[in-house]
Amino acid sequence: MVVADAKEKHGMKRTTYRRLAKVTLQGMLTFVAMNLKKMANCLWKRLCLFIFLPINRKKRKFSLFNL
């Protein structure tokens, strides 16, 4: 799945360089960018949950007699 995403979304179908060192560097930079993107999405989801679901809610017990 990761290699497929790199191929389709990040231009890794064909390399632009010819030597092993440069191709390796291009691959590393691509996968670093993909990991940063995943991390940013994860942090954004956590931030949204933190904003919309406040932690300090008072718990109330409801019953028919305590209205």
Side-chain angles (χ1 to χ4, degrees):
M1 172 113 177
V2 175
V3 176
D5 286 341
K7 183 182 120 183
E8 295 297 323
K9 298 178 184 175
H10 297 282
M12 293 292 288
K13 190 178 277 189
R14 297 181 189 258
T15 61
T16 56
Y17 301 112
R18 290 197 159 215
R19 300 287 177 203
L20 180 63
K22 288 184 178 182
V23 172
T24 304
L25 181 64
Q26 180 186 4
M28 280 189 213
L29 290 175
T30 301
F31 287 115
V32 165
M34 290 173 64
N35 285 334
L36 287 172
K37 190 169 139 182
K38 282 183 188 179
M39 192 170 63
N41 285 334
C42 182
L43 290 174
W44 178 253
K45 287 177 186 177
R46 282 188 185 178
L47 180 67
C48 288
L49 284 176
F50 181 72
I51 290 173
F52 294 117
L53 295 175
I55 296 172
N56 296 329
R57 290 186 180 179
K58 291 183 180 178
K59 293 183 180 179
R60 300 167 103 189
K61 292 183 180 179
F62 292 104
S63 69
L64 295 173
F65 304 111
N66 287 337
L67 295 176

